[in-house]
Amino acid sequence: MKKKSIFTLCITVLLSAVLITGSALGATGIWEPFNYYNSDLWEKANGYSNGNMFNCTWRSNNVTNTSDGKMRLALTSSSYNKFDCGELRSKAKTGYGLYEVRMMPAKNPGIVSSFFTYTGPTDGTPWDEIDIEFLGKDTTKVQFNYYTNGVGGNEKIIDLGFDASRDYHTYAFDWQPNRITWYVDGVARHTATTNIPKNPGKIMMNLWNGTGVDSWLGSYNGANPLYAYYDWVRYTSR
């Protein structure tokens, strides 16, 4: 029993060190402080475009880790009227639980900075998605949304009382079988209880500029480079 206790203590200390110093995937969740790029947990979108309202091409070079321990997504222009954007997503799918991000979105008309879960036909599943989105035209607000089997129309705009593009704040959603509750700096701001998604999805973050959706995002003026910053991400399984 003594040997087993010592072994258990050593394992606990080692796991704690991993969680403190670098990203980790455990039985109960994910902790990502963005000290470095962990290719075992994450992948960068590269070399293609989602098309439709996305007016850019995903580039892995537009996803970088900064020297002060942040993950930076960039929106840039490689040539006139050609735009590159950034997206990071988890390799593993996650289900019900608490999803948290500490981030600072980009500010400019016509763009979106996001944190969300997604799965869809490319994964062999229905389209289920839960969103935290910042529309760059007004970063004093945040948009919460979700899709279940491709059915959306659940947008909710929340006044933050501050400009999200000026400092880091913590945004979260708690996804349960019968509800989703969104939080800003630990305070519940919106709850949905109808037609809740059920399929596990990938954790995703992206920055992109839109086209043909001016009524939603405003008209993108071509300004670049633009950056969204992510301090950390945490997922806790329920």
mmCIF file of all heavy atoms in Angstrom, residues 31-64:
data_model
loop_
_atom_site.group_PDB
_atom_site.id
_atom_site.type_symbol
_atom_site.label_atom_id
_atom_site.label_comp_id
_atom_site.label_asym_id
_atom_site.label_seq_id
_atom_site.Cartn_x
_atom_site.Cartn_y
_atom_site.Cartn_z
ATOM 1 N N TRP A 31 -6.552 21.278 -21.198
ATOM 2 C CA TRP A 31 -6.021 22.558 -20.727
ATOM 3 C C TRP A 31 -4.957 23.003 -21.720
ATOM 4 O O TRP A 31 -3.997 22.284 -21.986
ATOM 5 C CB TRP A 31 -5.433 22.433 -19.332
ATOM 6 C CG TRP A 31 -4.557 23.592 -18.942
ATOM 7 C CD1 TRP A 31 -3.219 23.564 -18.660
ATOM 8 C CD2 TRP A 31 -4.958 24.969 -18.785
ATOM 9 N NE1 TRP A 31 -2.773 24.817 -18.338
ATOM 10 C CE2 TRP A 31 -3.809 25.703 -18.404
ATOM 11 C CE3 TRP A 31 -6.178 25.638 -18.942
ATOM 12 C CZ2 TRP A 31 -3.851 27.089 -18.187
ATOM 13 C CZ3 TRP A 31 -6.213 27.011 -18.719
ATOM 14 C CH2 TRP A 31 -5.074 27.714 -18.337
ATOM 15 N N GLU A 32 -5.138 24.188 -22.291
ATOM 16 C CA GLU A 32 -4.220 24.699 -23.306
ATOM 17 C C GLU A 32 -3.828 26.140 -22.979
ATOM 18 O O GLU A 32 -4.595 27.083 -23.207
ATOM 19 C CB GLU A 32 -4.873 24.643 -24.688
ATOM 20 C CG GLU A 32 -4.006 25.216 -25.793
ATOM 21 C CD GLU A 32 -2.634 24.589 -25.833
ATOM 22 O OE1 GLU A 32 -2.517 23.454 -26.322
ATOM 23 O OE2 GLU A 32 -1.677 25.241 -25.361
ATOM 24 N N PRO A 33 -2.614 26.344 -22.440
ATOM 25 C CA PRO A 33 -2.140 27.700 -22.142
ATOM 26 C C PRO A 33 -1.414 28.372 -23.305
ATOM 27 O O PRO A 33 -0.944 29.510 -23.172
ATOM 28 C CB PRO A 33 -1.185 27.467 -20.972
ATOM 29 C CG PRO A 33 -0.624 26.100 -21.230
ATOM 30 C CD PRO A 33 -1.742 25.304 -21.876
ATOM 31 N N PHE A 34 -1.281 27.687 -24.438
ATOM 32 C CA PHE A 34 -0.650 28.229 -25.645
ATOM 33 C C PHE A 34 0.796 28.656 -25.422
ATOM 34 O O PHE A 34 1.262 29.636 -26.009
ATOM 35 C CB PHE A 34 -1.477 29.381 -26.225
ATOM 36 C CG PHE A 34 -2.800 28.949 -26.785
ATOM 37 C CD1 PHE A 34 -3.987 29.475 -26.296
ATOM 38 C CD2 PHE A 34 -2.865 27.991 -27.787
ATOM 39 C CE1 PHE A 34 -5.219 29.068 -26.809
ATOM 40 C CE2 PHE A 34 -4.081 27.581 -28.309
ATOM 41 C CZ PHE A 34 -5.260 28.116 -27.815
ATOM 42 N N ASN A 35 1.515 27.906 -24.582
ATOM 43 C CA ASN A 35 2.945 28.166 -24.423
ATOM 44 C C ASN A 35 3.729 27.753 -25.672
ATOM 45 O O ASN A 35 4.809 28.270 -25.920
ATOM 46 C CB ASN A 35 3.484 27.407 -23.213
ATOM 47 C CG ASN A 35 2.918 27.940 -21.908
ATOM 48 O OD1 ASN A 35 2.605 29.118 -21.807
ATOM 49 N ND2 ASN A 35 2.777 27.075 -20.920
ATOM 50 N N TYR A 36 3.170 26.816 -26.413
ATOM 51 C CA TYR A 36 3.786 26.340 -27.646
ATOM 52 C C TYR A 36 2.697 25.675 -28.472
ATOM 53 O O TYR A 36 1.573 25.467 -27.989
ATOM 54 C CB TYR A 36 4.922 25.346 -27.355
ATOM 55 C CG TYR A 36 4.467 24.069 -26.683
ATOM 56 C CD1 TYR A 36 4.199 22.924 -27.430
ATOM 57 C CD2 TYR A 36 4.300 24.012 -25.296
ATOM 58 C CE1 TYR A 36 3.774 21.751 -26.816
ATOM 59 C CE2 TYR A 36 3.871 22.854 -24.675
ATOM 60 C CZ TYR A 36 3.616 21.727 -25.435
ATOM 61 O OH TYR A 36 3.191 20.572 -24.831
ATOM 62 N N TYR A 37 3.019 25.343 -29.713
ATOM 63 C CA TYR A 37 2.048 24.670 -30.581
ATOM 64 C C TYR A 37 2.157 23.169 -30.376
ATOM 65 O O TYR A 37 3.177 22.554 -30.697
ATOM 66 C CB TYR A 37 2.302 25.024 -32.044
ATOM 67 C CG TYR A 37 1.455 24.218 -33.013
ATOM 68 C CD1 TYR A 37 0.074 24.199 -32.902
ATOM 69 C CD2 TYR A 37 2.045 23.473 -34.035
ATOM 70 C CE1 TYR A 37 -0.724 23.460 -33.777
ATOM 71 C CE2 TYR A 37 1.261 22.739 -34.919
ATOM 72 C CZ TYR A 37 -0.114 22.737 -34.780
ATOM 73 O OH TYR A 37 -0.897 22.007 -35.639
ATOM 74 N N ASN A 38 1.115 22.574 -29.841
ATOM 75 C CA ASN A 38 1.075 21.134 -29.584
ATOM 76 C C ASN A 38 0.336 20.449 -30.726
ATOM 77 O O ASN A 38 -0.896 20.413 -30.755
ATOM 78 C CB ASN A 38 0.377 20.862 -28.245
ATOM 79 C CG ASN A 38 0.430 19.388 -27.858
ATOM 80 O OD1 ASN A 38 0.719 18.531 -28.685
ATOM 81 N ND2 ASN A 38 0.159 19.107 -26.600
ATOM 82 N N SER A 39 1.081 19.884 -31.661
ATOM 83 C CA SER A 39 0.492 19.256 -32.843
ATOM 84 C C SER A 39 -0.184 17.927 -32.517
ATOM 85 O O SER A 39 -0.886 17.370 -33.365
ATOM 86 C CB SER A 39 1.568 19.041 -33.916
ATOM 87 O OG SER A 39 2.616 18.227 -33.423
ATOM 88 N N ASP A 40 0.003 17.409 -31.295
ATOM 89 C CA ASP A 40 -0.711 16.212 -30.893
ATOM 90 C C ASP A 40 -2.182 16.523 -30.584
ATOM 91 O O ASP A 40 -3.051 15.671 -30.749
ATOM 92 C CB ASP A 40 -0.066 15.583 -29.656
ATOM 93 C CG ASP A 40 1.298 14.982 -29.948
ATOM 94 O OD1 ASP A 40 1.530 14.581 -31.109
ATOM 95 O OD2 ASP A 40 2.124 14.922 -29.027
ATOM 96 N N LEU A 41 -2.430 17.753 -30.132
ATOM 97 C CA LEU A 41 -3.791 18.141 -29.753
ATOM 98 C C LEU A 41 -4.497 18.974 -30.815
ATOM 99 O O LEU A 41 -5.724 18.931 -30.915
ATOM 100 C CB LEU A 41 -3.766 18.952 -28.451
ATOM 101 C CG LEU A 41 -3.357 18.234 -27.178
ATOM 102 C CD1 LEU A 41 -3.486 19.175 -25.994
ATOM 103 C CD2 LEU A 41 -4.185 16.982 -26.952
ATOM 104 N N TRP A 42 -3.725 19.749 -31.588
ATOM 105 C CA TRP A 42 -4.305 20.759 -32.468
ATOM 106 C C TRP A 42 -3.820 20.608 -33.901
ATOM 107 O O TRP A 42 -2.747 20.048 -34.151
ATOM 108 C CB TRP A 42 -3.949 22.162 -31.973
ATOM 109 C CG TRP A 42 -4.333 22.411 -30.555
ATOM 110 C CD1 TRP A 42 -3.519 22.304 -29.444
ATOM 111 C CD2 TRP A 42 -5.617 22.783 -30.070
ATOM 112 N NE1 TRP A 42 -4.227 22.592 -28.314
ATOM 113 C CE2 TRP A 42 -5.520 22.894 -28.659
ATOM 114 C CE3 TRP A 42 -6.844 23.041 -30.679
ATOM 115 C CZ2 TRP A 42 -6.606 23.248 -27.857
ATOM 116 C CZ3 TRP A 42 -7.928 23.406 -29.881
ATOM 117 C CH2 TRP A 42 -7.809 23.504 -28.497
ATOM 118 N N GLU A 43 -4.616 21.157 -34.822
ATOM 119 C CA GLU A 43 -4.170 21.245 -36.207
ATOM 120 C C GLU A 43 -4.596 22.586 -36.790
ATOM 121 O O GLU A 43 -5.613 23.164 -36.400
ATOM 122 C CB GLU A 43 -4.733 20.100 -37.043
ATOM 123 C CG GLU A 43 -6.234 19.996 -37.087
ATOM 124 C CD GLU A 43 -6.706 18.779 -37.865
ATOM 125 O OE1 GLU A 43 -5.854 18.090 -38.471
ATOM 126 O OE2 GLU A 43 -7.920 18.509 -37.871
ATOM 127 N N LYS A 44 -3.766 23.085 -37.708
ATOM 128 C CA LYS A 44 -4.011 24.366 -38.356
ATOM 129 C C LYS A 44 -4.623 24.128 -39.732
ATOM 130 O O LYS A 44 -4.117 23.316 -40.508
ATOM 131 C CB LYS A 44 -2.694 25.131 -38.521
ATOM 132 C CG LYS A 44 -1.932 25.362 -37.216
ATOM 133 C CD LYS A 44 -0.581 26.028 -37.473
ATOM 134 C CE LYS A 44 0.201 26.200 -36.190
ATOM 135 N NZ LYS A 44 1.508 26.887 -36.422
ATOM 136 N N ALA A 45 -5.715 24.822 -40.030
ATOM 137 C CA ALA A 45 -6.290 24.733 -41.370
ATOM 138 C C ALA A 45 -5.325 25.358 -42.366
ATOM 139 O O ALA A 45 -4.712 26.391 -42.086
ATOM 140 C CB ALA A 45 -7.635 25.448 -41.407
ATOM 141 N N ASN A 46 -5.203 24.759 -43.548
ATOM 142 C CA ASN A 46 -4.202 25.256 -44.488
ATOM 143 C C ASN A 46 -4.562 24.934 -45.936
ATOM 144 O O ASN A 46 -4.908 23.795 -46.273
ATOM 145 C CB ASN A 46 -2.830 24.636 -44.187
ATOM 146 C CG ASN A 46 -1.735 25.234 -45.026
ATOM 147 O OD1 ASN A 46 -1.602 26.454 -45.111
ATOM 148 N ND2 ASN A 46 -0.930 24.395 -45.654
ATOM 149 N N GLY A 47 -4.529 25.970 -46.791
ATOM 150 C CA GLY A 47 -4.564 25.786 -48.230
ATOM 151 C C GLY A 47 -5.916 25.642 -48.876
ATOM 152 O O GLY A 47 -6.002 25.246 -50.035
ATOM 153 N N TYR A 48 -6.989 25.951 -48.147
ATOM 154 C CA TYR A 48 -8.308 25.847 -48.772
ATOM 155 C C TYR A 48 -9.211 26.937 -48.196
ATOM 156 O O TYR A 48 -8.888 27.597 -47.212
ATOM 157 C CB TYR A 48 -8.924 24.475 -48.548
ATOM 158 C CG TYR A 48 -9.225 24.142 -47.105
ATOM 159 C CD1 TYR A 48 -10.479 24.407 -46.548
ATOM 160 C CD2 TYR A 48 -8.257 23.554 -46.297
ATOM 161 C CE1 TYR A 48 -10.746 24.107 -45.228
ATOM 162 C CE2 TYR A 48 -8.524 23.256 -44.973
ATOM 163 C CZ TYR A 48 -9.764 23.527 -44.441
ATOM 164 O OH TYR A 48 -10.018 23.230 -43.135
ATOM 165 N N SER A 49 -10.353 27.113 -48.834
ATOM 166 C CA SER A 49 -11.334 28.103 -48.380
ATOM 167 C C SER A 49 -12.682 27.431 -48.165
ATOM 168 O O SER A 49 -13.040 26.501 -48.890
ATOM 169 C CB SER A 49 -11.479 29.223 -49.413
ATOM 170 O OG SER A 49 -12.522 30.107 -49.044
ATOM 171 N N ASN A 50 -13.419 27.885 -47.172
ATOM 172 C CA ASN A 50 -14.782 27.395 -46.953
ATOM 173 C C ASN A 50 -15.757 27.914 -48.004
ATOM 174 O O ASN A 50 -16.848 27.383 -48.152
ATOM 175 C CB ASN A 50 -15.276 27.803 -45.560
ATOM 176 C CG ASN A 50 -14.635 26.987 -44.463
ATOM 177 O OD1 ASN A 50 -13.525 26.512 -44.604
ATOM 178 N ND2 ASN A 50 -15.329 26.836 -43.352
ATOM 179 N N GLY A 51 -15.350 28.982 -48.719
ATOM 180 C CA GLY A 51 -16.208 29.542 -49.751
ATOM 181 C C GLY A 51 -17.427 30.237 -49.178
ATOM 182 O O GLY A 51 -17.472 30.597 -48.008
ATOM 183 N N ASN A 52 -18.446 30.410 -50.037
ATOM 184 C CA ASN A 52 -19.676 31.101 -49.660
ATOM 185 C C ASN A 52 -19.341 32.456 -49.032
ATOM 186 O O ASN A 52 -18.770 33.314 -49.692
ATOM 187 C CB ASN A 52 -20.524 30.227 -48.736
ATOM 188 C CG ASN A 52 -20.987 28.956 -49.410
ATOM 189 O OD1 ASN A 52 -21.302 28.957 -50.599
ATOM 190 N ND2 ASN A 52 -21.018 27.866 -48.672
ATOM 191 N N MET A 53 -19.643 32.635 -47.758
ATOM 192 C CA MET A 53 -19.438 33.942 -47.129
ATOM 193 C C MET A 53 -18.018 34.146 -46.620
ATOM 194 O O MET A 53 -17.669 35.228 -46.154
ATOM 195 C CB MET A 53 -20.420 34.124 -45.969
ATOM 196 C CG MET A 53 -20.273 33.119 -44.858
ATOM 197 S SD MET A 53 -21.575 33.355 -43.621
ATOM 198 C CE MET A 53 -21.277 31.955 -42.540
ATOM 199 N N PHE A 54 -17.161 33.123 -46.731
ATOM 200 C CA PHE A 54 -15.775 33.240 -46.295
ATOM 201 C C PHE A 54 -14.932 33.759 -47.451
ATOM 202 O O PHE A 54 -14.750 33.071 -48.453
ATOM 203 C CB PHE A 54 -15.235 31.890 -45.829
ATOM 204 C CG PHE A 54 -15.884 31.369 -44.570
ATOM 205 C CD1 PHE A 54 -17.115 30.728 -44.622
ATOM 206 C CD2 PHE A 54 -15.270 31.521 -43.346
ATOM 207 C CE1 PHE A 54 -17.722 30.236 -43.477
ATOM 208 C CE2 PHE A 54 -15.852 31.036 -42.187
ATOM 209 C CZ PHE A 54 -17.089 30.397 -42.251
ATOM 210 N N ASN A 55 -14.377 34.959 -47.293
ATOM 211 C CA ASN A 55 -13.641 35.602 -48.387
ATOM 212 C C ASN A 55 -12.134 35.502 -48.174
ATOM 213 O O ASN A 55 -11.404 36.483 -48.318
ATOM 214 C CB ASN A 55 -14.065 37.069 -48.505
ATOM 215 C CG ASN A 55 -13.532 37.723 -49.769
ATOM 216 O OD1 ASN A 55 -13.292 37.058 -50.774
ATOM 217 N ND2 ASN A 55 -13.339 39.035 -49.712
ATOM 218 N N CYS A 56 -11.657 34.309 -47.802
ATOM 219 C CA CYS A 56 -10.223 34.151 -47.547
ATOM 220 C C CYS A 56 -9.854 32.678 -47.637
ATOM 221 O O CYS A 56 -10.710 31.797 -47.673
ATOM 222 C CB CYS A 56 -9.839 34.708 -46.171
ATOM 223 S SG CYS A 56 -10.683 33.883 -44.792
ATOM 224 N N THR A 57 -8.545 32.435 -47.659
ATOM 225 C CA THR A 57 -7.991 31.086 -47.675
ATOM 226 C C THR A 57 -7.296 30.833 -46.348
ATOM 227 O O THR A 57 -6.513 31.670 -45.886
ATOM 228 C CB THR A 57 -6.987 30.923 -48.828
ATOM 229 O OG1 THR A 57 -7.651 31.189 -50.069
ATOM 230 C CG2 THR A 57 -6.407 29.521 -48.857
ATOM 231 N N TRP A 58 -7.582 29.693 -45.721
ATOM 232 C CA TRP A 58 -6.905 29.349 -44.473
ATOM 233 C C TRP A 58 -5.433 29.079 -44.743
ATOM 234 O O TRP A 58 -5.086 28.339 -45.667
ATOM 235 C CB TRP A 58 -7.536 28.106 -43.837
ATOM 236 C CG TRP A 58 -9.012 28.168 -43.623
ATOM 237 C CD1 TRP A 58 -9.958 27.369 -44.194
ATOM 238 C CD2 TRP A 58 -9.733 29.074 -42.779
ATOM 239 N NE1 TRP A 58 -11.213 27.712 -43.749
ATOM 240 C CE2 TRP A 58 -11.108 28.761 -42.884
ATOM 241 C CE3 TRP A 58 -9.349 30.134 -41.944
ATOM 242 C CZ2 TRP A 58 -12.098 29.447 -42.185
ATOM 243 C CZ3 TRP A 58 -10.331 30.818 -41.248
ATOM 244 C CH2 TRP A 58 -11.685 30.479 -41.369
ATOM 245 N N ARG A 59 -4.586 29.678 -43.911
ATOM 246 C CA ARG A 59 -3.140 29.478 -44.037
ATOM 247 C C ARG A 59 -2.560 29.128 -42.675
ATOM 248 O O ARG A 59 -2.806 29.825 -41.693
ATOM 249 C CB ARG A 59 -2.461 30.751 -44.553
ATOM 250 C CG ARG A 59 -2.951 31.228 -45.917
ATOM 251 C CD ARG A 59 -2.567 30.296 -47.047
ATOM 252 N NE ARG A 59 -2.975 30.842 -48.343
ATOM 253 C CZ ARG A 59 -2.932 30.172 -49.486
ATOM 254 N NH1 ARG A 59 -2.489 28.912 -49.500
ATOM 255 N NH2 ARG A 59 -3.324 30.744 -50.620
ATOM 256 N N SER A 60 -1.762 28.068 -42.640
ATOM 257 C CA SER A 60 -1.160 27.662 -41.369
ATOM 258 C C SER A 60 -0.233 28.737 -40.820
ATOM 259 O O SER A 60 -0.081 28.873 -39.593
ATOM 260 C CB SER A 60 -0.402 26.346 -41.537
ATOM 261 O OG SER A 60 0.616 26.464 -42.517
ATOM 262 N N ASN A 61 0.384 29.524 -41.708
ATOM 263 C CA ASN A 61 1.275 30.589 -41.256
ATOM 264 C C ASN A 61 0.527 31.698 -40.525
ATOM 265 O O ASN A 61 1.158 32.539 -39.862
ATOM 266 C CB ASN A 61 2.026 31.201 -42.444
ATOM 267 C CG ASN A 61 3.082 30.273 -42.997
ATOM 268 O OD1 ASN A 61 3.508 29.333 -42.322
ATOM 269 N ND2 ASN A 61 3.507 30.517 -44.222
ATOM 270 N N ASN A 62 -0.787 31.717 -40.654
ATOM 271 C CA ASN A 62 -1.592 32.734 -39.975
ATOM 272 C C ASN A 62 -2.047 32.290 -38.590
ATOM 273 O O ASN A 62 -2.864 32.950 -37.959
ATOM 274 C CB ASN A 62 -2.799 33.117 -40.832
ATOM 275 C CG ASN A 62 -2.423 34.041 -41.986
ATOM 276 O OD1 ASN A 62 -1.320 33.956 -42.521
ATOM 277 N ND2 ASN A 62 -3.326 34.910 -42.374
ATOM 278 N N VAL A 63 -1.501 31.164 -38.139
ATOM 279 C CA VAL A 63 -1.719 30.688 -36.767
ATOM 280 C C VAL A 63 -0.355 30.556 -36.114
ATOM 281 O O VAL A 63 0.444 29.701 -36.503
ATOM 282 C CB VAL A 63 -2.440 29.326 -36.753
ATOM 283 C CG1 VAL A 63 -2.712 28.886 -35.313
ATOM 284 C CG2 VAL A 63 -3.720 29.378 -37.562
ATOM 285 N N THR A 64 -0.052 31.408 -35.145
ATOM 286 C CA THR A 64 1.269 31.420 -34.526
ATOM 287 C C THR A 64 1.147 31.523 -33.009
ATOM 288 O O THR A 64 0.141 31.986 -32.480
ATOM 289 C CB THR A 64 2.115 32.596 -35.037
ATOM 290 O OG1 THR A 64 1.421 33.829 -34.792
ATOM 291 C CG2 THR A 64 2.397 32.470 -36.527
#
